[in-house]
Amino acid sequence: SRDGGELKVIAEASVAGLDSIVVGGGVNLTVAGHIYDQLFNLGEGFVALPQMLSDWSISSDGKSYSMTMRDGMTWHDGSPVTARDAVATMNRLLNSPRSPMKTVQDRLNSVTLKDEMTFVWDFHTTYGLLPYNLASMNLYPPIQPEAAVLAAGNEPITDYVGSGPFKLIKWDPGASIKMERFEEYKPRRGRPDGHAGGKKAFV
């Protein structure tokens, strides 16, 4: 395999938005999923596998999850990806009036920072489906930079700085969108596994 080439795709509809927290629709989520990365992705057999995480665990009583981000991940502007970004994104998602995660909202006490790379989910009842809530075939939900999240609130983010394998170059709404390979993307070790595993961009 080798790097190089250009892939042109004609989607079923125009891209209406790239902030998946507030804009739905399959084509929007799919395109945004190349710019952003997720905590978990679905592997073969629809198994939820860690993507941006180096480690995660669930407490013996099933009410708490600890998640640690992988070292070395960067945003497209060169700044490091940390647990602060994940906490801000998850709280924005769960507080959004459009959030599809009602089962999580109804059982969750809080998502809080433990240290710069680790964060904790605290539930008031046993809950074992969280990894599957955080993984989907539509590459959702994305992790976004803390500063952009806090600035946007429930309004769409307009500065699309992601940490995924492709970065946005130009978007002409209703006409075309151009992305290029993010050379500094640090793929997960291992082979590709469905939407999970080692994602290497060649085009």
Side-chain angles (χ1 to χ4, degrees), residues 1 3 34 36-39 41 50-54 69-76 81 163-166 181-202:
S1 60
D3 293 341
H34 290 76
Y36 297 97
D37 218 341
Q38 297 79 40
L39 296 175
N41 280 148
Q51 186 65 34
M52 295 181 77
L53 303 175
S54 64
M69 307 293 282
R70 287 195 286 124
D71 289 328
M73 295 184 295
T74 62
W75 296 106
H76 296 160
V81 177
S163 65
F166 292 92
R181 184 174 60 245
F182 178 40
E183 299 291 355
E184 287 73 41
Y185 180 71
K186 183 179 180 181
R188 190 175 187 85
R189 290 184 178 179
R191 67 176 182 85
D193 187 344
H195 280 300
K199 295 192 286 187
K200 171 68 170 123
F202 293 101

Side-chain angles (χ1 to χ4, degrees), residues 54-126:
S54 64
D55 187 41
W56 71 280
S57 61
I58 184 171
S59 61
S60 58
D61 64 4
K63 295 182 180 181
S64 178
Y65 288 80
S66 176
M67 298 183 180
T68 301
M69 307 293 282
R70 287 195 286 124
D71 289 328
M73 295 184 295
T74 62
W75 296 106
H76 296 160
D77 63 7
S79 57
V81 177
T82 73
R84 294 180 183 277
D85 303 303
V87 170
T89 300
M90 290 298 103
N91 281 317
R92 179 174 184 246
L93 169 66
L94 293 166
N95 290 324
S96 169
R98 299 179 181 87
S99 176
M101 303 180 90
K102 182 168 174 52
T103 54
V104 175
Q105 290 171 309
D106 290 346
R107 294 162 175 80
L108 185 68
N109 288 325
S110 63
V111 183
T112 56
L113 193 71
K114 180 178 179 182
D115 57 43
E116 200 65 15
M117 298 302 285
T118 302
F119 62 105
V120 176
W121 300 73
D122 177 47
F123 290 85
H124 57 75
T125 186
T126 299

Side-chain angles (χ1 to χ4, degrees), residues 16-56:
L18 294 172
D19 183 357
S20 304
I21 302 298
V22 297
V23 179
V27 66
N28 305 315
L29 300 180
T30 299
V31 173
H34 290 76
I35 298 170
Y36 297 97
D37 218 341
Q38 297 79 40
L39 296 175
F40 288 83
N41 280 148
L42 287 177
E44 295 175 11
F46 301 99
V47 176
L49 299 172
Q51 186 65 34
M52 295 181 77
L53 303 175
S54 64
D55 187 41
W56 71 280

